[in-house]
Amino acid sequence: MAEGLADRGYLPGPRISRVYSRWAKGDWGALLTGNIQVDVRHLGGYGDLATRDYQAEEYQSLNAWELYAEACQEHGTPAIAQICHPGRQSPRGAGERGFLGQTIAPSAIPLHIGDGLAASIVRSIIFGCPKAMSQSDIDRVVAQFVNCARVLAQCGFSGIELHAAHGYLLSQFLSPRSNTRQDDYGGSAERRARIVLDIIQQIRNVVPATFCVGIKLNSADHNASDFEDTMTQIQLFSDIGVDFLEISGGSYEDPTMMGRGVRDESSNAKDQSTVAREAFFLDFAIQIRKRFPNLILLLTGGFRTREGIEAALKAGVCDLVGIGRPAVLRPDFPRLIMDDKAYSNREARAVFSKVPVPFFARLLQIKVLGGGAETEYFRGQIHRIADGLPTYAP
């Protein structure tokens, strides 16, 4: 999901605080924010929040972050800020780099958003070709992540989550498909993970010991050639002491986090268990649990019912369940799930259809437009919450 509710200066304001205040009243175990970008020059979308290296006199900017953290946590719910750099997935005009400014990435490999001439033209217009990052670029990005975490800790958030999934910059470094470097930041699973390890270590040096530091990673197919590389990287993150690992998946190239290209969310196939029907990335979570039994796992993507959530937890597949789109339609979703006296299993659910993909997107076979339709619909529903209006399922 993406809120698209930043005020001037990419700061949080009353509207986004109103949304999170509504969720804070819903008895959630914790709130994970949408993306907070670490570099105002590179945003993942128009309306993204972003931090700067604020000077002491910029107290009004810091106060905006403090008010946001307070709204998220006003009912005692801890808030974890998801911090991100989009890398090559930053559209033109999003941020301060200028419409003709290049995106950055570990290697100069453009997005592949579809086959054919139309997809190539769309990609060129919206994203262009990224610039391969120099050592100074890498050092700057590491410092920006650390600065963002420091600011958010100072302003009252309970922790941060590094967004190293969905094809954003840190995910681009981790994957051999987008990182073909042959230096200290590429060429092996360990070196591709170096930038993330540097960020985690340096964040730990500037935040309180009680400040939570988690990471979101993409799932990997057990049969894929890079599966063992992913396991190696998770071992490194576990060894350095991340507090939790969130499992998600997809990217702009292949938006599986939106349920595109995975099993139908509303499937009633008798040969699938409830949890298998709901959890998009269940198989990968099972593999992680086998190898890393002590790592706190947050499984996100596809959960819609009490039965599905309960089955995943009882089976030990994960420790925490992430809920996205149902939280927009039902900000009090935890009450619906937890109160088995007031709500039967038949009632304790938020099942809805996928947002229809525009005809031209199907015609052009551009996958990102399918995920984009889903994001835009739910962004609009989040804006309705900000305006005090009811939300509607697609």
Side-chain angles (χ1 to χ4, degrees), residues 123-138:
R123 182 200 66 212
S124 178
I125 292 172
I126 297 177
F127 298 105
C129 183
K131 182 191 83 164
M133 294 168 68
S134 66
Q135 182 64 55
S136 63
D137 292 328
I138 291 173

Side-chain angles (χ1 to χ4, degrees), residues 114-290:
D115 297 321
L117 179 61
S120 296
I121 292 171
V122 170
R123 182 200 66 212
S124 178
I125 292 172
I126 297 177
F127 298 105
C129 183
K131 182 191 83 164
M133 294 168 68
S134 66
Q135 182 64 55
S136 63
D137 292 328
I138 291 173
D139 292 343
R140 183 182 306 110
V141 165
V142 170
Q144 287 169 334
F145 271 97
V146 174
N147 171 69
C148 183
R150 178 187 58 78
V151 167
L152 296 173
Q154 175 186 337
C155 292
F157 280 90
S158 297
I160 59 93
E161 179 186 55
L162 296 178
H163 200 330
H166 298 179
Y168 293 125
L169 183 65
L170 299 185
S171 178
Q172 292 162 31
F173 267 95
L174 294 174
S175 172
R177 287 180 289 278
S178 48
N179 181 354
T180 57
R181 303 173 72 99
Q182 295 297 321
D183 60 4
D184 291 342
Y185 296 91
S188 70
E190 293 84 354
R191 290 199 295 271
R192 292 196 304 274
R194 178 178 172 180
I195 187 172
V196 181
L197 297 171
D198 288 349
I199 289 168
I200 294 171
Q201 184 62 60
Q202 292 187 38
I203 285 175
R204 291 290 193 196
N205 293 337
V206 300
V207 299
T210 55
F211 192 73
C212 181
V213 178
I215 187 169
K216 178 189 284 188
L217 294 180
N218 270 18
S219 65
D221 186 338
H222 187 257
N223 298 317
S225 59
D226 56 347
F227 179 82
E228 287 302 326
D229 280 2
T230 303
M231 293 296 114
T232 296
Q233 291 169 344
I234 292 174
Q235 182 68 65
L236 293 170
F237 302 145
S238 177
D239 290 345
I240 204 171
V242 293
D243 293 308
F244 70 91
L245 166 63
E246 180 181 4
I247 299 167
S248 187
S251 65
Y252 286 15
E253 294 180 321
D254 184 16
T256 52
M257 65 282 198
M258 291 299 179
R260 305 287 172 176
V262 298
R263 63 180 72 87
D264 188 345
E265 294 170 21
S266 59
S267 169
N268 289 314
K270 293 181 180 179
D271 60 344
Q272 292 178 316
S273 70
T274 302
V275 64
R277 280 202 312 274
E278 294 194 25
F280 292 163
F281 311 110
L282 175 69
D283 293 341
F284 186 64
I286 291 171
Q287 295 299 322
I288 296 293
R289 179 60 91 199
K290 287 179 181 177

